[in-house]
Amino acid sequence: MGTSRTLPFVGIALALVTFVAMLTLSIDPMIAIAVAVLWIGSLLLATGRPPEEPPVVTPRPISRRSIRKLIENSSTPVLVADKNVIAIANRTARDLMGAHVVGQDARVAFRHPEAIALFSENRNGNATVHGLIRWQDIWQINRQAIDEDLAVIELINQSAEADISRAHTDFVANASHELRTPLAAILGYVETLREGGDNLTEPTAQKFLRTMEREAQRMHSLISDLMSLSRVEAEKHDLPNDVFDLRTLVERAARDAAGSERLSRLDLDLKPNLHVQGDEKQLEQMVRNLVDNALKYGSLETSVKVELAVGRDSMARLSVIDQGEGIAPEQLPHLTRRFYRTDPGRSRASGGTGLGLAIVKHIVQRHRGRLNIDSELGKGTSVIVRLPIAAKDDPPKPKIEERSVKLGIES
């Protein structure tokens, strides 16, 4: 830093006055100038300050206490190891692995070859660990040294990405299997007709053609449901704008699903003047799927009740209740999975694709509603859909807080 000074204005002024006085007294001007220069120079030198020394910054040692404060509230599990012994674990890590992890050797805590190698070599890097907490968990462990003894260990959960990838793989495999079965039947009958057509009797040929038609219709239904599911999933974040009377829609869709053959089994109890904001085609599809399922899997001698009313939560409450065999409690959480069937043979025989309830779930989610499925073995199943009510003259609401889909919780 350079020299800084405060000018001595009083002293300089006195030197100048003296200089003028000397000239007035006829003193040699050169002597007067020399005296003034010497005087002022002395004043300037006297007021100058030596340059300041730069401040010395002493690095503060990293303490465990400061590290603990820094990482304690992080939502990511973070641990600090001292010579591979876990000295600090933040709240998230303790919740995940247990408080007993503090004081353990990191190699014992993780018990995985890749993690053991990472810690044993005392190097910076990462390792992937499977089944750290639960069987299918996948965690990435990142190690970064702070100094010769301390190292930070960060845990990153990659299970969700693996689950999504596995779900996509399962979906493709299931869809391929569902399409392959009817396609194999059609190809087999076509080959038989082509090679032995002249030797087949008319009744046999007609039987083959009916089977081919049934399998083709099954493929058509499956592809239609796949397209519907894809379309609903693509639009699930867009709330529809149309406001309409739900009673009219439910009655129309329920009668369409029953058809003339099963119409006598329908028991409709629909409250009028319940308006909702939604997509009419999707809600019709939802009602058709629910009523068709109830008629298929309910007892043939009993009716299917369809009720529409205002629920205790001031939402439109649609109930579809059958009196069939019922569903086991352990199967309820899986009913809305794609291609899930409680009885695969019976479902395929009745023309089911295994996608009906998956489509219903996504339609309900798109309309910010709630879906509940309750069932008791030997007594039947009730499916309840709750949708927000909209006043007939209300303007469309672009966003409504999303509600979660729950199964078997509310009645």
Side-chain angles (χ1 to χ4, degrees), residues 183-232:
L183 186 59
I186 291 173
L187 291 174
Y189 282 116
V190 168
E191 185 177 352
T192 302
L193 288 171
R194 181 171 56 82
E195 293 179 355
D198 295 337
N199 300 323
L200 292 176
T201 63
E202 180 66 19
T204 302
Q206 288 298 321
K207 179 182 177 181
F208 284 3
L209 289 173
R210 285 194 299 271
T211 303
M212 291 167 60
E213 182 182 15
R214 183 177 66 249
E215 296 298 328
Q217 288 291 347
R218 181 177 162 191
M219 288 179 61
H220 181 268
S221 298
L222 179 59
I223 293 172
S224 297
D225 282 352
L226 285 171
M227 292 178 65
S228 295
L229 182 60
S230 176
R231 184 163 52 250
V232 175

Side-chain angles (χ1 to χ4, degrees), residues 116-333:
I116 292 172
L118 177 66
F119 298 135
S120 298
E121 296 170 9
N122 289 324
R123 59 180 172 85
N124 295 334
N126 58 73
T128 302
V129 175
H130 295 259
L132 178 62
I133 307 301
R134 287 171 290 273
W135 177 54
Q136 290 188 327
D137 280 356
I138 300 177
W139 290 84
Q140 180 177 302
I141 302 174
N142 295 328
R143 181 188 185 276
Q144 182 67 43
I146 300 176
D147 55 27
E148 293 181 358
D149 296 329
L150 298 179
V152 175
I153 302 170
E154 181 185 38
L155 307 182
I156 300 174
N157 191 352
Q158 296 184 327
S159 304
E161 290 82 354
D163 290 343
I164 292 172
S165 177
R166 186 163 48 247
H168 286 169
T169 302
D170 291 345
F171 176 73
V172 172
N174 288 329
S176 301
H177 174 73
E178 294 290 337
L179 287 169
R180 187 185 298 118
T181 303
L183 186 59
I186 291 173
L187 291 174
Y189 282 116
V190 168
E191 185 177 352
T192 302
L193 288 171
R194 181 171 56 82
E195 293 179 355
D198 295 337
N199 300 323
L200 292 176
T201 63
E202 180 66 19
T204 302
Q206 288 298 321
K207 179 182 177 181
F208 284 3
L209 289 173
R210 285 194 299 271
T211 303
M212 291 167 60
E213 182 182 15
R214 183 177 66 249
E215 296 298 328
Q217 288 291 347
R218 181 177 162 191
M219 288 179 61
H220 181 268
S221 298
L222 179 59
I223 293 172
S224 297
D225 282 352
L226 285 171
M227 292 178 65
S228 295
L229 182 60
S230 176
R231 184 163 52 250
V232 175
E233 285 185 320
E235 298 172 343
K236 65 181 179 181
H237 297 298
D238 301 327
L239 184 63
N241 291 323
D242 296 335
V243 176
F244 49 85
D245 181 19
L246 188 58
R247 180 188 184 280
T248 304
L249 181 146
V250 170
E251 183 175 6
R252 180 174 65 246
R255 292 182 181 277
D256 287 347
S260 58
E261 303 84 1
R262 303 182 297 184
L263 190 59
S264 60
R265 293 177 56 201
L266 268 185
D267 180 8
L268 301 177
D269 181 10
L270 310 178
K271 181 180 177 62
N273 299 321
L274 281 179
H275 293 82
V276 297
Q277 181 179 336
D279 184 315
E280 288 193 62
K281 290 184 178 179
Q282 288 187 358
L283 289 178
E284 279 189 23
Q285 183 178 17
M286 178 193 75
V287 176
R288 283 197 302 269
N289 285 355
L290 293 178
V291 173
D292 184 56
N293 276 354
L295 291 168
K296 278 180 184 175
Y297 304 119
S299 175
L300 297 179
E301 295 79 24
T302 60
S303 62
V304 168
K305 189 166 188 177
V306 181
E307 297 178 340
L308 180 63
V310 178
R312 293 190 301 269
D313 50 7
S314 299
M315 300 178 74
R317 186 178 187 270
L318 171 67
S319 305
V320 181
I321 306 166
D322 68 56
Q323 301 175 56
E325 298 176 0
I327 303 168
E330 63 271 14
Q331 292 182 321
L332 289 176

